[in-house]
Amino acid sequence: MGTIPDLPELTPLEGEELARLEAMTPGARWAFWKEHFSRCIRCLACRQVCPFCYCEQCMCDRNRPQAVETTPRPAGNTAWHIVRAMHLAGRCAGCAECERACPMDIPLNLLNRKMAKELKALYDFEAGLTPVEKGPLAEYKDNDDQSFIK
Ligand code: SF4
Ligand code: SF4
Ligand code: SF4
């Protein structure tokens, strides 16, 4: 059996960006992402290039029922980026291809790395280190205390 590589280290610039993001108030952080997401043209290059977006039918392509509005407008853009971030959390390998492929220079890997950091802090979980079928965000427990939404 081969060895599984760790997530690549953050570059100094990525580390600086992450620190800057974390130092923001929640309101400023929301404004930061809102501005970036508003520029998304929904070309879905980020999804097409991602080795972990391999679903036979992406939920963002479904129209009956439609989970995510397909036109590049603020509500649908925000929904798409939340879906993308949550679906890749715990699976993203940090290759940064999504960010490289994005024609609108949206800092997708910053969001990926922030999600990876949160998963490590909350669940002591790092993508690819253990051969588990499901990551922590793909499991549901009846007795979950739901403290994250209180
Ligand atoms: S950085 Fe993560 S989300 Fe982006 S393409 Fe690579 S594996 Fe996919
Ligand atoms: S965004 Fe989610 S549903 Fe769509 S291809 Fe990626 S993992 Fe699958
Ligand atoms: S590649 Fe960029 S512009 Fe295209 S859908 Fe992804 S985030 Fe939006």
Side-chain angles (χ1 to χ4, degrees), residues 47 52-55 58-59 80 83-84 87-88 91:
R47 180 189 71 183
F52 296 101
C53 270
Y54 50 71
C55 304
C58 176
M59 69 173 281
W80 157 240
V83 165
R84 199 200 69 83
H87 286 192
L88 276 308
R91 301 196 295 145

Side-chain angles (χ1 to χ4, degrees), residues 59-111:
M59 69 173 281
C60 298
D61 291 338
R62 281 190 210 146
N63 55 10
R64 285 189 189 174
Q66 186 178 56
V68 177
E69 190 191 27
T70 49
T71 45
R73 293 196 298 187
N77 282 5
T78 302
W80 157 240
H81 283 279
I82 290 173
V83 165
R84 199 200 69 83
M86 298 302 279
H87 286 192
L88 276 308
R91 301 196 295 145
C92 168
C95 65
E97 280 297 291
C98 47
E99 185 169 313
R100 185 194 60 77
C102 177
M104 302 309 290
D105 291 329
I106 298 173
L108 297 171
N109 204 36
L110 184 60
L111 187 52

Side-chain angles (χ1 to χ4, degrees), residues 15-27:
E16 264 174 46
E17 281 292 289
L18 193 54
R20 193 166 74 83
L21 187 72
E22 289 175 340
M24 291 177 188
T25 61

Side-chain angles (χ1 to χ4, degrees), residues 1-5:
M1 195 158 84
T3 51
I4 301 169

Side-chain angles (χ1 to χ4, degrees), residues 5-147:
D6 291 343
L7 273 177
E9 290 295 322
L10 292 178
T11 64
L13 184 62
E14 285 173 333
E16 264 174 46
E17 281 292 289
L18 193 54
R20 193 166 74 83
L21 187 72
E22 289 175 340
M24 291 177 188
T25 61
R29 204 175 305 135
W30 177 239
F32 171 87
W33 285 118
K34 222 167 126 184
E35 189 281 316
H36 281 300
F37 295 163
S38 72
R39 290 184 291 106
C40 174
I41 56 172
R42 305 290 285 288
C43 63
L44 298 179
C46 51
R47 180 189 71 183
Q48 296 309 106
V49 79
C50 177
F52 296 101
C53 270
Y54 50 71
C55 304
E56 207 166 293
Q57 186 184 34
C58 176
M59 69 173 281
C60 298
D61 291 338
R62 281 190 210 146
N63 55 10
R64 285 189 189 174
Q66 186 178 56
V68 177
E69 190 191 27
T70 49
T71 45
R73 293 196 298 187
N77 282 5
T78 302
W80 157 240
H81 283 279
I82 290 173
V83 165
R84 199 200 69 83
M86 298 302 279
H87 286 192
L88 276 308
R91 301 196 295 145
C92 168
C95 65
E97 280 297 291
C98 47
E99 185 169 313
R100 185 194 60 77
C102 177
M104 302 309 290
D105 291 329
I106 298 173
L108 297 171
N109 204 36
L110 184 60
L111 187 52
N112 300 335
R113 301 311 290 265
K114 176 62 179 162
M115 294 298 285
K117 194 173 170 184
E118 291 292 316
L119 257 69
K120 174 72 180 159
L122 290 171
Y123 304 105
D124 194 24
F125 182 86
E126 286 180 79
L129 290 190
T130 46
V132 291
E133 199 180 327
K134 291 179 177 173
L137 298 191
E139 299 204 38
Y140 172 78
K141 291 188 184 133
D142 283 340
N143 62 354
D144 192 296
D145 68 5
Q146 301 192 11
S147 51

